[in-house]
Amino acid sequence: MVPATALVVGRTADVRPDLVHAVRGAGLRVRSVAAADLEADPSLAGRPDVVLLSASLGLRRVALLSGRLAETGSRRSALVFADGDLTALETCVRAGFDYLTPPYSPSLVRGRLTAAWERGELVGAVELLAVESTVREYERDLSLAHDLQAGFLPESLPRPPGWELAARLRPARLVSGDFYDAFELSDGRLGFVVADVCDKGLSAALFVALIRTLVRHTAERFPDDPWQDGAGPLVHAVVDTNRYLARNHLRQGYFATMFFGVLDPRSGSLLYINCGHLPPELARADGTRASLPPTGPAIGLLPDSEYHLGHAVLLPGDVLLAYTDGVVEARDLYGGQFGREALTAAVVPGRSAAALLDGVDEALRGHVDGAEQSDDITMLALRRQGAPDDAAGSTGS
């Protein structure tokens, strides 16, 4: 293949006729345009195979025009030509531009234009291969991160007698900046976590894995302690994780909001620390509502942050929903958010934990109505059995 079209750019549209004649004699269609007109409207370039720029425009204008045309896809290769100022031509050549010098004969011009065009094609092909290789490598890394992250989510959730637990995580991308976890502590109590890292993508997924490991490792291994009401595993897991992140990863700019609760299945007593996270929704069997607001800042911001304990009691039939901001900030096709009010209306006591998540999911999908998901969506529902409708039996997922 050889170039078929050429654009000649000079100080005026009336570019030296011997060059234009030689390019036409080489078998190319030629158009001429003034540099000032092209700078004002790059679309005047069309889509030529090669662009010839007058060296007398000066290196700065030549480079700017060449770069602008390349960005818009209006050229594959660019050359400079002598237009009476050999010093300007030498400056452009030293800067790396291919060039044409008089006398302009069709055969010589054709050979130079074809060689420049073929080099441009080769460079473009190499760049495309490099981009494709980078994309494949990135996709492979994402796939590995996805598998790694999936391994950090619990394969199954604990099922203490008389309780239901269900969770959902729907990433906006292949990997998520959200996570949930649930596990039994050494004294038989149930720990559960919902968290949201401040970013998305591969690095956020790795940060998620770190937080989940720190929180669970500390909570599961913290022995019986003198803390009142057995809050030691909860407090130490949050404080130690925050201190580690703030001291070792603050430069990366990552932090996370997190709700961490510890439930006594026998009494229904719930101790929690809400680290700057959205307040979980507590819907009681008697129709009343409550929320569990933050009791401290997000983790990873300051090593000496203070966290306070919160307390609630779940009675038979009560349900607690913890979630990330991807739920309430889910947008429809017009940009309208799902919102806290719609979420509250979808949290209906009397349903099983899994059915409650189905109901919220249905309301979410109805609101979004096909709009692209922009953030990770994570929900965890905890329900205490014992309401009249439990006679038929229900289980979490």
Side-chain angles (χ1 to χ4, degrees):
M1 295 180 63
V2 294
T5 60
L7 178 71
V8 183
V9 183
R11 286 174 291 184
T12 67
D14 187 18
V15 184
R16 51 185 302 164
D18 57 339
L19 173 64
V20 173
H21 178 76
V23 175
R24 285 190 177 128
L28 281 73
R29 296 187 299 276
V30 184
R31 290 192 306 109
S32 300
V33 64
D37 294 336
L38 189 59
E39 287 166 336
D41 183 6
S43 67
L44 293 175
R47 297 187 68 84
D49 294 316
V50 293
V51 176
L52 306 178
L53 298 145
S54 172
S56 62
L57 294 170
L59 177 59
R60 183 175 181 276
R61 290 183 77 188
V62 166
L64 287 173
L65 280 167
S66 176
R68 185 174 299 176
L69 292 174
E71 289 175 356
T72 60
S74 300
R75 72 158 181 86
R76 295 178 183 176
S77 60
L79 300 88
V80 292
F81 63 89
D83 195 15
D85 188 346
L86 293 180
T87 301
L89 177 66
E90 183 180 2
T91 300
C92 291
V93 172
R94 286 182 174 179
F97 281 93
D98 205 346
Y99 62 97
L100 289 172
T101 57
Y104 298 118
S105 68
S107 60
L108 292 177
V109 166
R110 182 179 181 84
R112 293 301 297 255
L113 295 185
T114 299
W117 183 81
E118 288 177 345
R119 280 196 298 273
E121 289 288 283
L122 180 60
V123 169
V126 171
E127 290 177 347
L128 180 60
L129 288 174
V131 169
E132 290 177 346
S133 176
T134 300
V135 169
R136 285 194 298 269
E137 184 177 349
Y138 181 67
E139 289 177 342
R140 184 167 59 250
D141 289 344
L142 280 180
S143 179
L144 290 173
H146 173 76
D147 295 342
L148 173 67
Q149 189 171 50
F152 276 98
L153 294 175
E155 293 184 3
S156 61
L157 297 175
R159 301 173 67 176
W163 292 87
E164 301 167 3
L165 196 62
R168 304 276 170 85
L169 193 159
R170 191 159 68 245
R173 302 178 185 175
L174 188 61
V175 291
S176 172
D178 289 1
F179 81 94
Y180 68 86
D181 199 6
F183 48 91
E184 291 184 0
L185 299 176
S186 59
D187 58 5
R189 291 183 300 162
L190 173 70
F192 62 95
V193 180
V194 172
D196 183 0
V197 173
C198 67
D199 199 2
K200 305 179 185 67
L202 179 59
S203 54
L206 296 175
F207 200 64
V208 161
L210 174 63
I211 295 174
R212 184 264 188 190
T213 301
L214 291 171
V215 168
R216 179 184 270 225
H217 177 84
T218 306
E220 286 183 328
R221 285 160 178 75
F222 195 83
D224 293 337
D225 60 89
W227 288 81
Q228 186 178 4
D229 296 327
L234 171 62
V235 172
H236 277 271
V238 171
V239 171
D240 291 353
T241 298
N242 172 72
R243 185 179 294 118
Y244 177 85
L245 296 177
R247 289 179 176 175
N248 295 281
H249 296 279
L250 186 59
R251 290 184 179 180
Q252 285 82 9
Y254 287 109
F255 61 90
T257 66
M258 181 176 71
F259 180 87
F260 187 3
V262 173
L263 174 75
D264 183 346
R266 294 162 296 185
S267 65
S269 176
L270 174 68
L271 294 174
Y272 67 89
I273 294 179
N274 185 337
C275 308
H277 199 76
L278 291 173
E281 185 83 9
L282 176 57
R284 299 196 177 278
D286 63 6
T288 59
R289 302 276 176 153
S291 61
L292 310 183
T295 59
I299 57 174
L301 291 175
L302 298 171
D304 298 322
S305 293
E306 292 187 2
Y307 297 94
H308 303 285
L309 285 171
H311 181 256
V313 176
L314 273 68
L315 302 174
D318 291 353
V319 62
L320 179 72
L321 177 69
Y323 56 93
T324 58
D325 56 7
V327 177
V328 291
E329 294 178 6
R331 297 180 181 274
D332 61 20
L333 293 169
Y334 305 98
Q337 294 187 352
F338 183 63
R340 181 68 185 268
E341 186 176 340
L343 176 65
T344 299
V347 179
V348 181
R351 296 178 176 178
S352 70
L356 184 138
L357 294 187
D358 288 338
V360 176
D361 236 347
E362 183 179 353
L364 264 176
R365 294 181 188 277
H367 171 79
V368 171
D369 193 25
E372 183 179 359
Q373 182 180 336
S374 61
D375 199 0
D376 305 321
I377 291 175
T378 303
M379 299 181 288
L380 184 147
L382 174 69
R383 180 175 182 268
R384 186 174 186 178
Q385 296 177 333
D389 67 317
D390 288 326
S394 58
T395 60
S397 65

